[in-house]
Amino acid sequence: VLGGEFLSCDGKAINDSHAEIQIRRCIMRFLYGQLRAIREGRCSVLEKVNDKYRLKPEFSLHLYINTAPCGDARIFSPKQEGSQAQVVDVDTHPNRSNRGVLRTKIESGEGTIPILSATEAFQTWDGVLAGQRLRTMSCSDKLCRSNLLGLQGSLLSKFLCPLYYSSVVVGRLYSFSHLSRALYGRLDVPEVTNVLPEGFYLNKPLLLPVSVTEARSVSKASGFCMNWTYGDAAPEVTRTSDGKVFNANNTGTPSRICKNSLFKLFIKEHKREVAAAKTAGTLTEDMEGKYDELMYYEVKNEAKDYNKVKNILIDHFKNSNLGCWVRKPIEQSMFSL
């Protein structure tokens, strides 16, 4: 997790360098490239349905992670010895109150801690800069959110239907009962699934173990992270401490998958949409220059259905006594290009 002293007010630092989170950012960057390919008449994995794009039926998204995602999916998983097949996947205490609770990663710490009160869900910019540990939701909770809201995020929701993983494969600490609860079971209730806007649904990906597990490593996590997306000339290496690109000059270059970079891709895609509308004679008054003066968080708030589903998720966790969703200081999203 990003060091609190490196908080960025212009979206140029990556807060969370866990693999599951980096992968989703890479997927979003990939999808912007696929939208551009369509505009330029090249092959794409996307197709248009009504006024938005979706994955073509012959394509699907699959996630492999070498261990159960941190948080609810991992903390109760059985200790493994030898083959994955030896694991007895039975939760002998499924109704205990600690099952399904929201948890957070903490700055300069390993593992996750539960959110014990609503006051812990609030983080302030000056508080973090003064020494309060920065907290971010666990990977289990973020994957659970993606199984309801989709992987595309709020900005891409302008162009895309919700996209979901078809399968999740886990290398170590696999437990179907804990993994399924953490990734979607907590939301599988009528008060969530029956009130979703069109296009959204509770995704239940196929959950699978590997036949041979990796040996447990006792070393601390690396201070570096690598990302690569189809079409990139080379991988990019970032530092987890400050969320910036690692290079010989130590210049603190923003990553190609940080908020600022993805926001730029959104604005470029919107401009291509405007240009296409001009050519087709379908340009409306509200399209051109629509986002010129808006800040990042204001553009995100334009995704009405996406934010409605997000609020459904947050309210359900709170009303079910599973905790409150921790939000980053709003100052992190108060930037424009």
Side-chain angles (χ1 to χ4, degrees), residues 1-3 13-23 25 105 136 139 142 221-226 238-244 257:
V1 176
L2 179 75
I14 296 174
N15 291 321
D16 189 343
S17 293
H18 281 220
E20 298 91 328
I21 313 310
Q22 295 260 323
I23 288 168
R25 290 187 164 277
K105 312 161 198 173
T136 188
C139 290
K142 289 183 177 181
S222 168
F224 300 95
C225 193
M226 184 182 296
T238 57
R239 291 184 298 262
T240 60
S241 59
D242 65 359
K244 299 288 183 66
I257 58 172

Side-chain angles (χ1 to χ4, degrees), residues 161-162 176 222 299:
C161 300
F176 179 80
S222 168
V299 178

Side-chain angles (χ1 to χ4, degrees), residues 64-68 77-89 169-176 208-214:
Y64 167 76
I65 43 179
N66 65 351
T67 188
S77 294
K79 182 170 64 176
Q80 290 180 337
E81 296 178 3
S83 170
Q84 188 81 58
Q86 295 176 347
V87 176
V88 178
D89 187 17
V169 178
V170 174
R172 291 187 62 254
L173 298 177
Y174 172 89
S175 165
F176 179 80
L208 297 169
V210 295
S211 55
V212 179
T213 61
E214 299 179 20

Side-chain angles (χ1 to χ4, degrees), residues 136-189:
T136 188
M137 299 305 300
S138 73
C139 290
S140 289
D141 298 329
K142 289 183 177 181
L143 285 171
C144 183
R145 178 181 62 182
S146 293
N147 275 327
L148 193 68
L149 279 73
L151 295 161
Q152 75 291 335
S154 56
L155 296 184
L156 272 169
S157 292
K158 172 177 168 57
F159 310 110
L160 300 175
C161 300
L163 283 76
Y164 303 96
Y165 285 128
S166 294
S167 70
V168 176
V169 178
V170 174
R172 291 187 62 254
L173 298 177
Y174 172 89
S175 165
F176 179 80
S177 60
H178 294 300
L179 193 62
S180 60
R181 178 193 64 242
L183 266 56
Y184 57 77
R186 296 181 283 178
L187 300 176
D188 196 7
V189 291

Side-chain angles (χ1 to χ4, degrees), residues 14 22 29 78 81 111 126 156 172 216 307 328 331:
I14 296 174
Q22 295 260 323
R29 185 165 179 270
E81 296 178 3
D126 48 352
L156 272 169
R172 291 187 62 254
R216 176 175 174 265
N307 285 299
K328 298 290 191 309
E331 288 84 355

Side-chain angles (χ1 to χ4, degrees), residues 109-130:
E110 296 283 335
T112 59
I113 58 175
I115 305 165
L116 300 177
S117 67
T119 56
E120 293 184 74
F122 295 96
Q123 299 186 99
T124 61
W125 184 270
D126 48 352
V128 172
L129 292 179

